[in-house]
Amino acid sequence: MLLQQISELVQIAGDFAAKRRKVLSSNEIHTKSTDTDLVTDVDRDVEALIVEKLRELTPEYGIFGEETGKSNADAPYCWVIDPIDGTTSFVRDQPFYCVSIGLRHNGIGILGAVYAPKLGELFLAEAKKGATCNGETICVSKISDLRKAVVATGFSCIRAKRKFDNMAFLPQIARATCAFRRTGSAAIDLSYVAAGKLDAFWELGLQPYDIAAGEVIVREAGGIVTDLSGAAEYPQKGLLADNGAIHQNMLSFFRPETGIRFE
């Protein structure tokens, strides 16, 4: 019942964002921590829409939104919201953006909804109930040969101007795999791993709201999500999501001797 309500909500929010994009003005586009970290009035309005509805549905739950932060943070259940994941794509009228709503119980993801309105794709998952895209069951790929793998990453760490970033790994991974993709939305990338469109996705510098829905969708589709050492300290120590068959091969790129740091 709750998943159905969130399915409806994420679609309402995504369609609202897409409608607002048609009339987006330069006065509605702003920056946050850096001049490349974009936010729009639409991000904030979409989050307000979602938060209002979630408070009606589950008033006792906590909420952690990208734009408004945390409320009732000590509650066992907490919604984690990214109102527009892929804001740069949204601003430039590219299709790779989505609305992401995840639910955690005592810090563990138990429900995820990702809706990409311009792509017409709705990904849903609930713990122990599997994952779907547009109502059809999805599962991760069976690719086990790294040379045949299609992988994706993002560069939020570069946008945040961290001293240590993803460029340390990109050349060798790109050379070792079949193809490389970048959408600019971690939630879409994770959903594409779940659907078998990608075989792996890794990134540094992500935040909980970037991955809260997508990690549930990957797991329920049969995939694996860890940090870059294979442990569970993600996203603060990086994130790797894949089909499981290439997990150890992907982890080998992030060995301690590479000098990886997470400052």
Side-chain angles (χ1 to χ4, degrees):
M1 182 64 175
L2 186 57
L3 182 62
Q4 179 59 38
Q5 291 171 312
I6 299 308
S7 170
E8 294 170 1
L9 176 58
V10 77
Q11 290 178 83
I12 290 170
D15 291 340
F16 173 77
K19 183 176 180 180
R20 286 281 301 275
R21 175 59 191 80
K22 294 178 180 179
V23 294
L24 185 71
S25 71
S26 59
N27 293 333
E28 296 178 282
I29 303 169
H30 317 282
T31 59
K32 295 196 287 187
S33 57
T34 69
D35 56 5
T36 57
D37 189 7
L38 300 181
V39 64
T40 70
D41 291 348
V42 184
D43 290 75
R44 294 161 179 162
D45 292 345
V46 169
E47 185 161 313
L49 182 160
I50 295 171
V51 168
E52 180 180 12
K53 184 60 177 179
L54 291 178
R55 284 178 174 156
E56 291 176 7
L57 288 173
T58 55
E60 71 279 17
Y61 287 15
I63 295 177
F64 179 14
E66 178 178 9
E67 308 306 333
T68 54
K70 298 179 180 180
S71 61
N72 194 21
D74 294 331
Y77 289 92
C78 183
W79 295 106
V80 187
I81 307 160
D82 195 334
I84 300 180
D85 187 40
T87 298
T88 300
S89 293
F90 177 77
V91 167
R92 300 302 294 267
D93 202 19
Q94 298 175 7
F96 292 102
Y97 67 87
C98 66
V99 179
S100 172
I101 304 175
L103 178 62
R104 290 178 168 177
H105 180 236
N106 293 328
I108 305 298
I110 60 171
L111 182 151
V114 171
Y115 176 51
K118 298 296 286 186
L119 298 172
E121 294 176 321
L122 170 65
F123 297 90
L124 300 171
E126 190 171 4
K128 299 181 181 180
K129 294 186 178 180
T132 63
C133 177
N134 295 343
E136 299 293 327
T137 299
I138 57 174
C139 64
V140 296
S141 75
K142 299 186 185 328
I143 295 293
S144 58
D145 184 346
L146 203 61
R147 294 170 298 178
K148 297 179 181 179
V150 178
V151 302
T153 193
F155 302 110
S156 58
C157 48
I158 295 176
R159 190 167 61 247
K161 297 184 178 179
R162 296 189 175 199
K163 293 180 180 179
F164 185 79
D165 60 46
N166 206 6
M167 295 305 294
F169 308 110
L170 182 58
Q172 57 181 327
I173 296 176
R175 292 188 184 101
T177 55
C178 174
F180 163 77
R181 298 289 183 268
R182 180 175 185 252
T183 69
S185 164
I188 291 176
D189 288 330
L190 288 165
S191 298
Y192 277 15
V193 170
K197 297 183 179 187
L198 294 170
D199 304 304
F201 165 69
W202 87 96
E203 191 166 352
L204 289 80
L206 293 172
Q207 300 297 322
Y209 43 75
D210 296 312
I211 67 160
E215 67 162 316
V216 180
I217 296 168
V218 170
R219 285 209 177 92
E220 287 302 307
I224 292 178
V225 183
T226 70
D227 64 27
L228 296 183
S229 73
E233 293 184 66
Y234 60 86
Q236 62 269 34
K237 290 191 175 182
L239 177 135
L240 172 62
D242 57 51
N243 63 5
I246 60 172
H247 193 66
Q248 292 304 317
N249 285 334
M250 287 298 298
L251 284 175
S252 69
F253 292 109
F254 312 112
R255 297 183 304 272
E257 55 265 33
T258 64
I260 187 170
R261 303 185 302 278
F262 299 99
E263 73 277 0

